[in-house]
Amino acid sequence: MVEEVMPLVLIRENGTIADILKTNEKGFGKSIERGEIWHLFPETGRLLPLHEGGASFLSLQRKRKWFEAVVADSYTALDAKLGSDTQQEQREMTAPSNASEGQASGIIGELEFLIAERKRSMPEGSYTTHLFSKGNEKIRKKMGEEAVELLLARKREDIIYEASDLMYHLLVLLADEGIAFSDLEKELARRHVPTEA
Ligand SMILES: N=c1c2ncn([C@@H]3O[C@H](COP(=O)(O)OP(=O)(O)OP(=O)(O)O)[C@@H](O)[C@H]3O)c2ncn1[C@@H]1O[C@H](COP(=O)(O)O)[C@@H](O)[C@H]1O
């Protein structure tokens, strides 16, 4: 079921509107659970924390047709903080310089390329950007979580789903460590003993 997207109005304690974002029920629940504002990027369909590093709220309520978060008077909207030039730079999408070196083929190659691009330009609204900005320990932790989810999966479709999640997070970890997927291919090829025809 597609969740309804609703406005998330950020109001300062002094009553002025600080920002108007978007979220849904899942984002509302996640914000409460984590104690920081999570909002939806409609362009990517991803729920992500507002301001990497966390933006806390004083209260968060569901209204009839929107959500309302009360924030500190000192709250400054992200757009104002960044300045348009910096934002433009963050959003620019150009290929990473070493993209063609030993690139894996197919979807793995495409994903590897996209992840390298995310690491370089860190565009807003991207889950991959979120992982890189949190750092290596967070990426490793996510790998662990995804591995456990795969261990627990029993049904064929769940195994496929969880293994794909794990694969994506592995590619992010490799990118963070500066390791190409082709390095794994080389290692696997080195171990491989071809069977006699
Ligand atoms: N394959 C994936 C992929 N698999 C899983 N995920 C994300 O992994 C997250 C795992 O969900 P969890 O609930 O465990 O994590 P969370 O609670 O949302 O976040 P955390 O605070 O735990 O980090 C979800 O947000 C998924 O959307 C992925 N996100 C991205 N990709 C690929 O990466 C590409 C780039 O994505 P963006 O960087 O978001 O544009 C996409 O086009 C996809 O091809």
Side-chain angles (χ1 to χ4, degrees):
M1 195 186 78
V2 178
E3 287 201 59
E4 191 185 355
V5 177
M6 297 213 280
L8 168 61
V9 183
L10 269 52
I11 300 185
R12 295 189 189 90
E13 273 190 295
N14 64 18
T16 57
I17 292 188
D19 213 343
I20 300 179
L21 307 166
K22 294 198 165 66
T23 194
N24 56 20
E25 279 295 335
K26 191 175 171 201
F28 175 70
K30 206 150 184 160
S31 299
I32 301 274
E33 179 194 315
R34 309 266 174 116
E36 58 175 12
I37 296 167
W38 278 63
H39 68 126
L40 187 76
F41 284 78
E43 311 83 34
T44 60
R46 295 198 188 283
L47 275 173
L48 290 162
L50 176 64
H51 302 182
E52 290 300 344
S56 56
F57 51 82
L58 302 170
S59 68
L60 182 59
Q61 281 185 327
R62 185 190 289 103
K63 300 284 183 179
R64 216 160 55 84
K65 283 282 169 195
W66 71 91
F67 295 102
E68 183 184 286
V70 176
V71 294
D73 283 350
S74 56
Y75 179 93
T76 316
L78 185 62
D79 282 9
K81 267 192 189 157
L82 283 176
S84 54
D85 285 355
T86 319
Q87 260 198 321
Q88 186 55 37
E89 265 170 40
Q90 283 200 348
R91 285 181 177 142
E92 265 174 28
M93 301 283 267
T94 51
S97 55
N98 62 348
S100 60
E101 281 170 30
Q103 173 106 39
S105 58
I107 186 65
I108 297 288
E110 272 184 43
L111 210 43
E112 187 181 31
F113 184 88
L114 184 57
I115 289 168
E117 205 291 315
R118 294 286 192 262
K119 187 181 173 191
R120 196 197 62 76
S121 67
M122 301 286 275
E124 226 188 295
S126 145
Y127 180 74
T128 318
T129 298
H130 165 63
L131 287 177
F132 283 130
S133 66
K134 290 277 177 183
N136 191 271
E137 282 310 310
K138 166 74 179 181
I139 297 170
R140 284 169 182 268
K141 190 166 160 266
K142 286 302 294 181
M143 272 288 295
E145 282 173 29
E146 301 301 342
V148 172
E149 282 171 22
L150 175 58
L151 284 181
L152 296 174
R154 292 289 172 204
K155 281 196 253 153
R156 187 174 188 276
E157 61 267 30
D158 291 345
I159 295 172
I160 293 171
Y161 188 91
E162 297 301 345
S164 300
D165 261 4
L166 183 63
M167 192 69 206
Y168 161 76
H169 285 88
L170 172 63
L171 289 173
V172 175
L173 178 64
L174 292 176
D176 197 55
E177 298 283 357
I179 297 170
F181 191 77
S182 61
D183 293 328
L184 272 67
E185 289 180 322
K186 280 182 212 141
E187 176 58 22
L188 289 168
R190 190 187 63 75
R191 295 178 196 176
H192 181 55
V193 182
T195 47
E196 302 274 327

